[in-house]
Amino acid sequence: MVNCPICNSSALTSCGERYDDRYGYPGTFALLKCSSCGHAFLRGEFPPELLRDLYSNYYPRATFDLEWYQPHEEKFGLKAWLAGEKSSAFHWVPRNVRVLDIGCGFGASLGYHTARGCDVYGVEADENIRRVAEKFGYKVYVGPFDDSKYEAEFFDYVTMDQVIEHVTDPLSTLRGVARILKSGGTAILSTPNAGGWGAKFFGRHWINWHAPYHMQFFSRRSMQLSAEQAGLVVAEAKMITNSDWLRCQWIHLVSYPKLGEPSRFWLPNHDGMRMTFLQRRFIRAMHEMKINHLLTRVFDSVGLGDNYVFALKKQ
Ligand SMILES: [Zn+2]
């Protein structure tokens, strides 16, 4: 018997099977949706051995050269708005606060916050961050997020950019986040919206199913219920999607792999990627003529965008 991981309801509907259409992990995974809170999730057990296999043997190890390191620089104006610049959680953190970025990647957000006077901390599972942290003196914990590494009520802000959909137990992650937030503090999360136009229009080819790495797909309701159970409240739920996602979506569509095969597009350097002349022209035109940008802005504005930005407040 399977129940919704968020509201525990047993009223679940099947949304078919998904497979790893990026890195070719074998096997299919059932996608279920809760009729009560709208949360969608992958069915099945994901023990630590399986997760280790997934992330160390299939997820490509990123190559990173220290010389490429650049702190994120904020862009403003129409161009930034068209691109969906504010789709990332870290953009919503004010100056001069103490902030933890869970899943900080190569640390672009850490440099951004540091330049804005913040006392900044990071968590990242990818070992590449170690060299960046050493060079720039960033306080980064390398490994999975573990709230016991921090004092309670320590942070003004905690951000998770495209992270919560990857975790097996989102409620326990959010409880950990709530513990280390000061009262009045805010957690900001960005996560794909499986209830938007993208999932409907592209079906199982939607770029953000990303099975089996993405396991949790929040609705407004399921995020609200999760927040409550963690001792937080949803202060804001915005819909802002980066328009580059749509450019990637078109390429994903024309390079869609068979079960058990990696997608050429998602391999490092797009190894062996082939597109026809017309496909290439179409994809370039959609982006250069800003059609991707306009579509993304329109769908966001009517509440059917591909990406949520949630602000969860601790009372
Ligand atoms: Zn539910």
Side-chain angles (χ1 to χ4, degrees), residues 86-230:
K86 289 243 182 187
S87 58
S88 302
F90 75 88
H91 279 292
W92 297 92
V93 174
R95 294 172 184 270
N96 308 317
V97 293
R98 182 180 288 152
V99 56
L100 172 67
D101 187 11
I102 302 174
C104 65
F106 300 136
S109 69
L110 306 183
Y112 167 83
H113 292 314
T114 302
R116 289 164 52 90
C118 292
D119 181 19
V120 58
Y121 292 70
V123 174
E124 177 53 54
D126 188 324
E127 287 281 336
N128 280 295
I129 188 65
R130 215 182 278 283
R131 288 173 294 140
V132 179
E134 276 165 14
K135 179 165 176 190
F136 297 97
Y138 297 149
K139 293 166 277 198
V140 177
Y141 174 75
V142 182
F145 169 61
D146 173 359
D147 69 283
S148 71
K149 305 276 176 205
Y150 308 95
E151 285 171 43
E153 313 244 326
F154 191 62
F155 293 102
D156 300 296
Y157 276 79
V158 174
T159 57
M160 296 178 91
D161 261 317
Q162 309 295 320
V163 170
I164 196 71
E165 63 278 8
H166 286 259
V167 310
T168 50
D169 186 353
L171 291 181
S172 104
T173 302
L174 288 178
R175 284 190 186 108
V177 167
R179 191 187 71 82
I180 59 178
L181 273 177
K182 293 179 186 170
S183 52
T186 308
I188 303 180
L189 287 76
S190 66
T191 192
N193 172 29
W197 82 282
K200 287 185 182 72
F201 187 77
F202 297 104
R204 66 186 180 87
H205 297 101
W206 183 47
I207 197 173
N208 280 307
W209 292 125
H210 192 7
Y213 310 89
H214 287 181
M215 302 170 175
Q216 318 289 342
F217 297 92
F218 286 87
S219 62
R220 276 171 199 259
R221 178 79 185 133
S222 72
M223 182 55 80
Q224 188 192 346
L225 291 171
S226 306
E228 274 170 22
Q229 292 176 72

Side-chain angles (χ1 to χ4, degrees), residues 4-9 12 34-39 222 225:
C4 170
I6 306 301
C7 76
N8 210 30
S9 164
L12 305 173
C34 173
S35 312
S36 174
C37 75
H39 194 75
S222 72
L225 291 171

